[in-house]
């Protein structure tokens, strides 16, 4: 299996999503973004694509090191976010290919519940509820 394409989508107001595709039809999703710099991170992802297309997506650690160490300059929020989103997509791809949840590849589940960030837009509870597609009368687990 080889990586064939990295495709990105900017979603207003501030998100960027990445899909890595392969010649076997397997794909993975990641979120490479620095708030307020989605277009900049998107450019970094596409510049890094040259290192990835044609590579085996299962070699995640090798690819991470290649992306991080291949250039003269290392680190920084834009580059590291681009690499992080690629890393997420590669793990997602591998989990899909093997038919297991990613947490099984990383040592197994470590909790039964977790709090999540759930802002969907708006400054009033009714606006947030409408953005999330549920009734504003439904209590959020985070409001307890």
């Amino acid at each position: 299996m080889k990586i064939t394409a990295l495709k990105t989508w900017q979603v207003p107001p501030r998100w960027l999503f990445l899909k890595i595709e392969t010649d076997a039809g397997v794909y993975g999703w990641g979120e490479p973004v620095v708030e307020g710099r989605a277009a900049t991170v998107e450019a970094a992802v596409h510049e890094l694509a040259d290192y990835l297309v044609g590579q085996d997506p299962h070699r995640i650690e090798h690819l991470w090191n290649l992306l991080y160490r291949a250039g003269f300059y290392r680190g920084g929020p834009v580059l590291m976010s681009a690499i992080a989103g690629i890393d997420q997509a590669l793990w997602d791809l591998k989990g899909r290919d093997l038919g297991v949840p990613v947490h099984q590849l990383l040592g197994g589940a470590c909790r039964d519940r977790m709090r999540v960030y759930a802002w969907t837009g708006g400054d009033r509870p009714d606006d947030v509820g409408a953005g999330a597609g549920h009734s504003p009368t439904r209590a959020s687990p985070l409001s307890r």
Side-chain angles (χ1 to χ4, degrees):
M1 177 183 329
K2 302 289 182 199
I3 296 170
T4 57
L6 282 76
K7 297 180 179 177
T8 54
W9 289 267
Q10 284 191 44
V11 179
R14 66 180 56 87
W15 296 288
L16 177 66
F17 296 99
L18 163 67
K19 183 179 183 184
I20 296 180
E21 299 178 342
T22 68
D23 58 356
V26 182
Y27 60 88
W29 288 95
E31 184 183 7
V33 70
V34 172
E35 181 146 351
R37 299 289 181 260
T40 308
V41 177
E42 183 175 34
V45 167
H46 289 291
E47 287 180 358
L48 294 171
D50 290 342
Y51 292 102
L52 297 168
V53 173
Q55 296 288 329
D56 177 353
H58 284 217
R59 298 185 66 200
I60 297 171
E61 292 300 316
H62 166 74
L63 295 174
W64 190 97
N65 277 287
L66 177 66
L67 296 175
Y68 182 73
R69 300 180 195 291
F72 181 79
Y73 296 103
R74 297 180 185 162
V78 171
L79 179 61
M80 294 312 296
S81 184
I83 292 172
I86 291 167
D87 191 57
Q88 292 165 13
L90 290 171
W91 281 107
D92 183 46
L93 189 154
K94 189 169 190 171
R96 288 173 192 272
D97 189 43
L98 298 175
V100 296
V102 172
H103 73 268
Q104 292 294 2
L105 301 174
L106 302 175
C110 61
R111 60 180 61 89
D112 296 320
R113 294 175 40 167
M114 62 186 261
R115 291 178 180 250
V116 297
Y117 180 71
W119 187 81
T120 60
D123 294 321
R124 294 183 300 272
D126 289 345
D127 296 336
V128 174
H134 66 76
S135 168
T137 60
R138 182 177 161 206
S140 164
L142 297 178
S143 63
R144 293 183 211 153

